[in-house]
């Protein structure tokens, strides 16, 4: 049934190493390693139960790294991602985290998709983040 199809799909995704997401030239996004560490803590508390410990093995939410994430967000912006998660996540209490926490979770997702941290913090303002596009 549908449950066995989901298991097969998830197993197939786990076998594939996620391809790193590359920033589009001229649209550099930066975040710090500290932000990503804070993002992982916020993710573990608020997101892991649906999206899984490794961001791509959740039973109730789509993968947040690898090919599924890239297909869902190709051509979108980091601002779109932050806006989406801040308006819809966590499902039981959308918008319940601080703007900084949503930005930190986004940095953890970026880090898990192969975008290395830098020296400048990612701003929590979704509008400012619309300058960075995910590749199409």
């Amino acid at each position: 049934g549908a449950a066995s199809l989901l298991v097969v799909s998830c197993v197939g995704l786990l076998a594939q190493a996620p391809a790193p997401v590359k920033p589009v030239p001229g649209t550099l996004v930066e975040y710090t390693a500290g932000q990503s560490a804070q993002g992982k803590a916020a993710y573990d508390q608020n997101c892991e139960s649906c999206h899984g410990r490794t961001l791509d093995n959740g039973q109730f939410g789509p993968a947040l790294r690898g090919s599924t994430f890239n297909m869902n967000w190709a051509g979108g912006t980091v601002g779109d991602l932050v806006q989406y998660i801040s308006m819809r996540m966590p499902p039981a209490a959308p918008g319940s985290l601080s703007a900084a926490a949503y930005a930190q979770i986004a940095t953890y997702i970026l880090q898990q998709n192969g975008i290395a941290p830098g020296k400048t913090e990612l701003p929590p303002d979704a509008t400012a983040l619309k300058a960075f596009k995910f590749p199409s």
Side-chain angles (χ1 to χ4, degrees):
S4 60
L5 181 61
L6 179 63
V7 171
V8 171
S9 297
C10 289
V11 170
L13 286 175
L14 292 175
Q16 301 170 2
V21 174
K22 300 283 191 234
V24 173
T27 57
L28 181 65
V29 64
E30 262 198 286
Y31 67 92
T32 64
Q35 267 187 310
S36 179
Q38 291 171 314
K40 180 184 182 333
Y43 175 89
D44 289 350
Q45 184 175 354
N46 298 286
C47 315
E48 182 181 313
S49 61
C50 289
H51 294 282
R53 187 174 52 80
T54 60
L55 285 81
D56 61 2
N57 66 343
Q59 194 173 4
F60 304 109
L64 299 177
R65 70 179 197 141
S67 60
T68 300
F69 178 80
N70 291 334
M71 284 185 341
N72 287 336
W73 290 97
T77 71
V78 175
D80 296 333
L81 175 64
V82 171
Q83 184 176 17
Y84 180 85
I85 63 176
S86 68
M87 292 174 65
R88 302 199 48 186
M89 299 293 139
S96 61
L97 306 178
S98 69
Y102 285 115
Q104 291 160 356
I105 291 168
T107 65
Y108 179 58
I109 294 169
L110 292 172
Q111 185 260 327
Q112 289 294 302
N113 278 285
I115 297 175
K119 295 183 169 111
T120 307
E121 285 205 353
L122 185 79
D125 176 28
T127 304
L129 297 176
K130 293 207 185 260
F132 174 76
K133 283 194 169 214
F134 292 108
S136 311

